[in-house]
Amino acid sequence: MRWPLALVALLSASADEVAAQGKGIRLWNLTTATISEFQLSPAGKNDWGPNQTLNDKDKEVDHDERLRITGVEPGRYDARVGYRGSKHCFARGIEIKADAVFSIADKDLKDCNK
């Protein structure tokens, strides 16, 4: 009788650990265009991390698509957003929370070049 109880306890603990991990941090692209580059830097630092779009199977993030963000801790960040044709824009002071979705929309983009 002890073995089944121990097995149930072990499986419950494993399920709780998986649930606690959540889905991770994700970007929701609410801009009107497909994003081909997305980099984050701690707010005000201009210390850009890797291109997060490489985490996507087609290496781009379409409008209304979500992208898993890796290697980033919760906090405030600036984002550099790149589009096809070398256009880049910035979104400043984005709050990123653990296991949550944050979005970028056209109204968030500043300092765009063409």
Side-chain angles (χ1 to χ4, degrees):
M1 188 68 171
R2 291 182 190 158
W3 285 106
L5 291 176
L7 183 58
V8 167
L10 179 63
L11 290 175
S12 294
S14 296
D16 289 343
E17 288 175 21
V18 169
Q21 290 176 356
K23 292 186 177 184
I25 297 169
R26 294 167 322 279
L27 161 68
W28 187 7
N29 179 12
L30 295 179
T31 69
T32 54
T34 298
I35 294 173
S36 58
E37 292 178 52
F38 187 81
Q39 296 173 280
L40 292 167
S41 170
K45 300 286 185 185
N46 286 327
D47 183 19
W48 302 105
N51 180 3
Q52 295 284 337
T53 63
L54 299 178
N55 299 334
D56 190 70
K57 64 182 176 183
D58 68 359
K59 311 298 185 229
E60 293 184 316
V61 187
D62 298 324
H63 166 74
D64 201 29
E65 183 180 359
R66 294 184 186 192
L67 170 70
R68 181 181 268 291
I69 302 297
T70 61
V72 174
E73 296 295 322
R76 286 223 172 260
Y77 290 85
D78 295 333
R80 182 164 53 185
V81 183
Y83 298 97
R84 295 179 195 147
S86 300
K87 178 181 176 182
H88 285 86
C89 298
F90 296 89
R92 310 255 184 225
I94 301 166
E95 183 176 0
I96 295 180
K97 297 179 181 178
D99 294 323
V101 175
F102 67 96
S103 63
I104 301 285
D106 288 338
K107 66 179 178 57
D108 303 317
L109 300 176
K110 309 288 184 223
D111 304 322
C112 296
N113 69 3
K114 292 190 179 192

